[in-house]
Amino acid sequence: MPALDYLLTGADIVDGTGTPARRADVGLRGNRIAFVGLSTDVRAVTTLDCTGMIITPGLIDPHSHSDWSVLGNPDAFSTIHQGVTTEVVGNCGLTYAPIGDEDADTTAGALRAMGYDGGVDWRSFGDLVQRVHSGPTAQNLMWFVGHTAIRSAARAAPDQPRTQIRLLEEAMEAGAIGFSSGLEYGSGRFAATEELVALAKAAGRRDGMYASHIRNRDADLDSAVDEFFAVVDGGQVRAQLSHLNVRHGTGAESGAWERAAERVVTERQRGTDVLADMTPYPHGIGMATGLLPAWLAGRPGAEAAELLKDREVRQQVRRDSDRYWRFVHRGQWHRVRLGVSPTHPDWEGLSFTEIAERHGADEWECLFDILTAAGADMGSVQLIGELFTAGHLAEAIAHDHFLLGVDAFSTCRHGALDGRTRNPLFYHGHTHYLAHHVPAGTLSQETAIHKMTGMVAGHFGMRDRGELRAGAFADVVVFDPAIIDRTDTWTLPRRYADAARHVWVNGVPVVTDAAHTGHRPGLMLTHRP
């Protein structure tokens, strides 16, 4: 056997298949895993003694928004330090392409909040991914194209349905694995089911996927799940039901989540290629404009912001906004923090109760002032809400048909992103599954790793990824279990995770001794049946 580039010895491996951990050495050569076993006379340029460590495949996030931040953070600091080597991006209908000329300035403003101050000279999805991957990136990315972006880019076309299908087909030609929708906010709120089915049929003809942030996750969860499967069946597409959960205290019917989860099981039994995913914490990201009623949210950002200056409009919005994060209408503003605001960065991370005290106005008025100040960029205002109970989290995380995602984006400790992502979700969300949910008995270490590696790769068609075996791509992580066990992700929310001592992406070391090497060997991944 020719000499290996790296030989990792002395560790237990959790190989991504769900089978029990075992003692084995791992050898890397080029961009592939060349050896898994007990080495005797194996030669290597570099041998690392990993005694006491755990070696796993690189973690794969099935629901990421790192496409929002990748141009400003191509080194993927917060996620690569957690051992995440691949992210599925373009979720919830929100991508920065395709775009029309009239949306270029708004897009540039949203990207500035994410650390990118370059020009927005792309219009097509293909041009965007070319820009990103010519960077290049530290992690691999697999892309959906956003339905909301397609709708916006097609809105001035004489034949909008035909233009939407053309834009989806062009995106898939450029490497998108399908399309995603976000039906609780943005212009996705106004899309008819028939529009989604037409796009799903176009994606299905190319063996594409459909991922959806469904239309409702509280009082109307049942009908929202019905709509999701109507689109999946109509298009005959492979599918991902994004963050299938029920928000606490929003009026969901008894047993609604259990019926939704069982629907995923029964649909798989009848041959539909579908899974769901869940997040690690009781809180998550939301779009501030999602709180607005349809008659206001359907207007361009600058126009909506101007209307919100009017006192009577604000009163009407208060009355008409009971549709998203409905607990705010029960006065529970302490559950909502400001996540990202281009005009009020000093309020980011504060609860709206705290903001109201500082601003001298009630929480609704604070929200209106933030959105009004954002103007055309109001779509970039993000909230972080305390959404779920611990019991609901555990039930979903343990479910056999749920992958483990984070629903956040990669961030960093410098530039525009520094300080805008105070929540531990961004820095420890992935390792939280191992540091909290495994010790709590929600699931075993082997099952957790499987649901974060091999199970994701298999569902999304990532050939030769997600497993530690000879011939697979060398996306590999060496974890120190002692550091995982003592990680307190609540008191150290903005420190890079350090349990992933070594991380390779496509055989290139990106993290060595818990320090970023600066290498960017990431690739754009496309579906291969």
Side-chain angles (χ1 to χ4, degrees):
M1 176 188 294
L4 302 169
D5 296 323
Y6 296 91
L7 179 63
L8 318 179
T9 65
D12 288 336
I13 70 167
V14 181
D15 66 10
T17 66
T19 58
R22 67 185 192 276
R23 224 334 248 114
D25 304 326
V26 178
L28 315 181
R29 184 189 303 114
N31 65 352
R32 299 275 182 164
I33 297 172
F35 174 82
V36 178
L38 295 177
S39 59
T40 54
D41 58 352
V42 178
R43 296 179 298 111
V45 175
T46 301
T47 298
L48 292 177
D49 181 0
C50 299
T51 301
M53 303 290 182
I54 299 170
I55 302 177
T56 76
L59 305 185
I60 305 173
D61 191 340
H63 186 99
S64 169
H65 290 286
S66 285
D67 52 307
W68 298 351
S69 62
V70 67
L71 287 169
N73 178 31
D75 292 302
F77 283 102
S78 68
T79 46
I80 206 75
H81 273 290
Q82 296 179 70
V84 179
T85 59
T86 301
E87 301 181 57
V88 181
V89 297
N91 287 288
C92 297
L94 303 171
T95 49
Y96 289 132
I99 60 171
D101 291 341
E102 64 277 14
D103 292 325
D105 288 343
T106 299
T107 300
L111 285 169
R112 278 195 298 273
M114 293 290 174
Y116 173 70
D117 57 5
V120 177
D121 55 0
W122 63 83
R123 296 295 180 267
S124 72
F125 179 85
D127 287 344
L128 170 61
V129 295
Q130 173 64 27
R131 169 66 63 85
V132 169
H133 289 282
S134 65
T137 62
Q139 81 281 50
N140 303 310
L141 298 176
M142 179 174 265
W143 291 76
F144 286 106
V145 62
H147 165 246
T148 300
I150 287 173
R151 283 193 109 235
S152 297
R155 67 178 178 266
D159 188 341
Q160 291 186 33
R162 187 183 299 275
T163 301
Q164 287 186 27
I165 290 173
R166 175 180 59 78
L167 291 171
L168 171 58
E169 290 174 339
E170 288 176 355
M172 293 188 70
E173 282 289 331
I177 62 170
F179 76 107
S180 71
S181 66
L183 304 180
E184 273 195 304
Y185 42 65
S187 67
R189 288 168 56 178
F190 309 109
T193 304
E194 293 74 18
E195 176 181 318
L196 299 166
V197 170
L199 288 166
K201 287 179 178 178
R205 288 191 291 268
R206 296 169 178 263
D207 191 31
M209 292 190 75
Y210 173 58
S212 183
H213 174 135
I214 56 178
R215 207 173 292 273
N216 188 282
R217 286 183 287 157
D218 46 59
D220 295 317
L221 178 65
D222 290 308
S223 60
V225 171
D226 286 343
E227 180 186 41
F228 172 78
F229 283 109
V231 174
V232 172
D233 291 344
Q236 292 296 293
V237 286
R238 299 175 295 116
Q240 185 68 18
L241 210 172
S242 301
H243 38 59
L244 176 55
N245 43 47
V246 176
R247 302 183 187 106
H248 175 60
T250 56
E253 293 184 8
S254 177
W257 182 84
E258 289 79 4
R259 289 192 296 275
E262 184 59 29
R263 182 74 181 276
V264 174
V265 176
T266 57
E267 291 289 341
R268 281 188 64 84
Q269 289 172 343
R270 74 182 189 91
T272 303
D273 188 355
V274 60
L275 290 174
D277 53 70
M278 190 52 187
T279 51
Y281 287 118
H283 42 265
I285 300 172
M287 311 303 293
T289 52
L291 292 170
L292 302 179
W295 58 264
L296 184 61
R299 299 172 183 268
E303 182 180 338
E306 189 63 29
L307 286 170
L308 271 177
K309 294 178 181 178
D310 185 273
R311 178 63 51 189
E312 291 186 5
V313 170
R314 291 189 175 200
Q315 291 302 319
Q316 189 64 42
V317 171
R318 287 174 182 251
R319 291 190 290 269
D320 294 349
S321 292
D322 189 8
R323 56 162 303 278
Y324 177 73
W325 288 21
R326 299 177 67 212
F327 51 85
V328 302
H329 300 276
R330 303 178 182 187
Q332 298 175 23
W333 280 100
H334 62 280
R335 293 172 59 180
V336 186
R337 294 181 179 274
L338 182 62
V340 174
S341 168
T343 59
H344 290 76
D346 53 320
W347 289 354
E348 291 172 347
L350 299 177
S351 74
F352 269 78
T353 302
E354 294 169 322
I355 291 172
E357 291 174 356
R358 293 191 181 193
H359 195 43
D362 75 4
E363 291 88 350
W364 278 110
E365 290 300 307
C366 294
L367 176 67
F368 296 150
D369 287 347
I370 291 167
L371 292 174
T372 299
D377 292 342
M378 68 161 55
S380 66
V381 179
Q382 296 174 20
L383 309 176
I384 296 174
E386 296 176 10
L387 306 179
F388 317 115
T389 65
H392 176 45
L393 271 181
E395 190 173 15
I397 288 168
H399 196 287
D400 288 344
H401 292 68
F402 278 59
L403 305 172
L404 304 183
V406 171
D407 191 16
F409 51 86
S410 190
T411 188
C412 57
R413 294 296 313 279
H414 59 270
L417 284 166
D418 184 29
R420 295 199 164 193
T421 45
R422 295 176 174 84
N423 195 285
L425 184 75
F426 298 95
Y427 293 92
H428 303 283
H430 301 276
T431 53
H432 189 67
Y433 287 112
L434 305 177
H436 174 75
H437 293 289
V438 169
T442 305
L443 70 180
S444 70
Q445 174 182 260
E446 290 86 351
T447 299
I449 294 297
H450 174 55
K451 287 157 72 80
M452 300 168 76
T453 58
M455 189 173 172
V456 187
H459 183 54
F460 284 90
M462 300 175 185
R463 179 176 289 179
D464 292 337
R465 296 188 191 271
E467 295 182 8
L468 291 180
R469 57 173 172 77
F473 284 100
D475 297 341
V476 177
V477 184
V478 178
F479 282 109
D480 184 339
I483 295 178
I484 291 176
D485 291 344
R486 67 171 182 262
T487 298
D488 184 342
T489 61
W490 295 100
T491 60
L492 298 171
R494 293 182 62 235
R495 189 184 76 182
Y496 292 134
D498 57 357
R501 309 305 294 175
H502 302 276
V503 181
W504 289 263
V505 178
N506 297 311
V508 177
V510 180
V511 173
T512 299
D513 293 325
H516 202 299
T517 65
H519 295 311
R520 298 177 184 173
L523 301 172
M524 179 178 180
L525 306 185
T526 55
H527 168 63
R528 292 291 181 267

